[in-house]
Amino acid sequence: MKKRQTFKISGRIIWLSSLFLGVIVSLPSLIQHQFNIYETIANSVITFVFSLFVWYYNIFTLPVYTSQEVNRGFAVYPLIKNLVVGLVVMFLLSYLQQQLLTHLNFGPVMLMFEVRGVLINLTFYMFIHLLYQTYQNQRVSIELERTRMDNLAAQFELLRQQVNPHFLFNTLNTLKYMVEDKDENTVDFILKLSDFYRFTLENRKMDLIRFSEEMKILMAYLFLLKARFEEGIEVDIQVQDSHDQSMIPPFTLQLLVENCIKHNIVSLDKPLRIAIYSEENYIVVKNNIQPKITPESSTGIGLDNINERYYHLLNKNIVITPGTETFVVKLPIIHEDTHN
């Protein structure tokens, strides 16, 4: 897991700016020919200490925004809270000065320090939150750009897998045998093959499509597989009708079925059984495990590709449960309002 980047302000800036304010407040006294060195030092030290406090207190009490809350606007309550805390701290500092320099009139001195504290607090609060807002906006911009690049990469990889050379070769081989045998289903096979690649062209750039559309893609794909494997593959689909209007990344089910075929024996003697059904808030794809003696070469990115798309679109992961007899993949159901 990546470490979350935190908002920081250089310690040098904090200390030098606080020291600068401490020196500034002492200048009027220093310009005068007669001044009390102890009062001047006390004023400078109190301003310096209070400035340090305001810096660190504002930084440590910054809210933790999510990407959806960055632009929620100016919040009054944190400002009021900071001002109240600042007034209390400045009162304590001025009271401490009174204990050290008893000849001072506490009332006017306290009022002067409180006004100064409010001004310092307001200035630093606005400055820190301006920096923080800029920082958050930059983070969101970077994250959006990273997401855009990841989505482009996922789309490219998805397209590469959809136009699988092995699948196309096997499909055309099946078509060749059907034509030679004058199979009466040849025309239907060609039409389904045409439908499948039309779906590929229409949906390849879309992030999400309706589940009902995904089922059309899957049914066209399954028709091609049945023509090739006949009774060697059995697919049982039991998905609730209420899920037809839910959303799903295009070609997800097709990729999962292709993944089953890639890693398992498909034959009349040992048919591959695939079940697609609803389970609470998931669409489940389950197949029996019968590993090939010589597995096909695989980059291992099929499931990763699907998982990445779900994570970017829904901030959720798919659930993968490998077993000794079955392999199960659960896809979170994406409701249209959830995605929006």
Side-chain angles (χ1 to χ4, degrees), residues 134-177:
T134 303
Y135 164 79
Q136 291 287 5
N137 287 335
Q138 289 176 343
R139 280 189 60 224
V140 171
S141 297
I142 293 171
E143 188 62 29
L144 287 175
E145 182 63 18
R146 184 182 293 117
T147 300
R148 189 182 71 84
M149 295 303 295
D150 288 345
N151 282 336
L152 287 176
Q155 287 177 10
F156 174 80
E157 183 54 42
L158 177 62
L159 180 60
R160 191 184 71 81
Q161 290 203 24
Q162 287 166 4
V163 189
N164 189 312
H166 295 290
F167 169 71
L168 183 60
F169 173 78
N170 291 328
T171 303
L172 293 178
N173 237 5
T174 302
L175 179 60
K176 171 179 174 290
Y177 291 128

Side-chain angles (χ1 to χ4, degrees), residues 1-2 143 146-147 150-151 208 249 303-318 332 334 339:
M1 183 178 293
K2 295 180 180 178
E143 188 62 29
R146 184 182 293 117
T147 300
D150 288 345
N151 282 336
L208 292 169
L303 292 176
D304 288 340
N305 177 286
I306 295 171
N307 191 55
E308 282 293 319
R309 287 188 289 157
Y310 268 87
Y311 183 79
H312 287 307
L313 294 170
L314 199 61
N315 201 27
K316 288 185 179 180
N317 294 315
I318 64 175
I334 305 176
H339 175 63

Side-chain angles (χ1 to χ4, degrees), residues 28-279:
S29 300
L30 294 174
I31 292 173
Q32 297 176 2
H33 296 291
Q34 295 180 350
F35 64 93
N36 188 312
I37 185 63
Y38 298 108
E39 292 181 18
T40 302
I41 293 175
N43 286 341
S44 297
V45 171
I46 288 175
T47 304
F48 171 74
V49 172
F50 182 76
S51 298
L52 283 179
F53 169 80
V54 170
W55 267 116
Y56 286 111
Y57 180 79
N58 276 284
I59 291 173
F60 285 115
T61 56
L62 282 172
V64 180
Y65 291 130
T66 64
S67 59
Q68 289 81 18
E69 297 172 324
V70 171
N71 295 317
R72 64 182 178 183
F74 181 79
V76 177
Y77 175 74
L79 174 59
I80 295 175
K81 179 182 175 183
N82 279 15
L83 289 176
V84 171
V85 172
L87 288 172
V88 173
V89 172
M90 184 57 83
F91 177 84
L92 295 176
L93 290 174
S94 59
Y95 179 77
L96 178 62
Q97 184 196 40
Q98 176 66 21
Q99 298 303 308
L100 297 175
L101 304 174
T102 56
H103 67 281
L104 294 176
N105 189 336
F106 181 71
V109 171
M110 185 272 292
L111 180 60
M112 179 188 69
F113 275 110
E114 292 289 15
V115 172
R116 182 186 303 170
V118 169
L119 292 176
I120 292 174
N121 211 344
L122 277 174
T123 302
F124 281 16
Y125 182 91
M126 296 299 182
F127 179 69
I128 290 171
H129 279 72
L130 176 62
L131 290 179
Y132 186 52
Q133 187 75 12
T134 303
Y135 164 79
Q136 291 287 5
N137 287 335
Q138 289 176 343
R139 280 189 60 224
V140 171
S141 297
I142 293 171
E143 188 62 29
L144 287 175
E145 182 63 18
R146 184 182 293 117
T147 300
R148 189 182 71 84
M149 295 303 295
D150 288 345
N151 282 336
L152 287 176
Q155 287 177 10
F156 174 80
E157 183 54 42
L158 177 62
L159 180 60
R160 191 184 71 81
Q161 290 203 24
Q162 287 166 4
V163 189
N164 189 312
H166 295 290
F167 169 71
L168 183 60
F169 173 78
N170 291 328
T171 303
L172 293 178
N173 237 5
T174 302
L175 179 60
K176 171 179 174 290
Y177 291 128
M178 292 178 71
V179 172
E180 289 176 347
D181 295 340
K182 298 181 179 180
D183 193 315
E184 60 182 10
N185 295 317
T186 301
V187 174
D188 288 337
F189 185 90
I190 295 173
L191 291 175
K192 290 296 182 182
L193 180 61
S194 173
D195 286 342
F196 179 75
Y197 280 101
R198 177 172 59 81
F199 290 140
T200 300
L201 294 174
E202 289 177 352
N203 298 301
R204 61 177 180 168
K205 293 184 179 180
M206 298 180 67
D207 292 331
L208 292 169
I209 61 174
R210 295 200 180 277
F211 187 81
S212 56
E213 292 298 313
E214 176 73 5
M215 288 303 300
K216 292 179 183 179
I217 298 173
L218 179 64
M219 297 310 293
Y221 181 66
L222 291 178
F223 183 92
L224 301 177
L225 292 180
K226 291 293 288 186
R228 175 185 170 192
F229 296 111
E230 298 180 344
E231 301 305 316
I233 184 169
E234 300 175 5
V235 182
D236 180 31
I237 301 175
Q238 300 290 337
V239 178
Q240 297 175 11
D241 293 339
S242 59
H243 293 155
D244 285 349
Q245 297 306 308
S246 64
M247 311 300 285
I248 189 171
F251 296 92
T252 298
L253 296 179
Q254 181 261 322
L255 285 174
L256 288 176
V257 172
E258 183 179 353
N259 194 63
C260 296
I261 296 170
K262 184 185 298 182
H263 296 287
N264 294 279
I265 295 172
V266 184
S267 67
L268 296 176
D269 296 332
K270 300 183 69 175
L272 177 65
R273 296 181 175 88
I274 302 173
I276 303 173
Y277 56 91
S278 306
E279 184 180 280

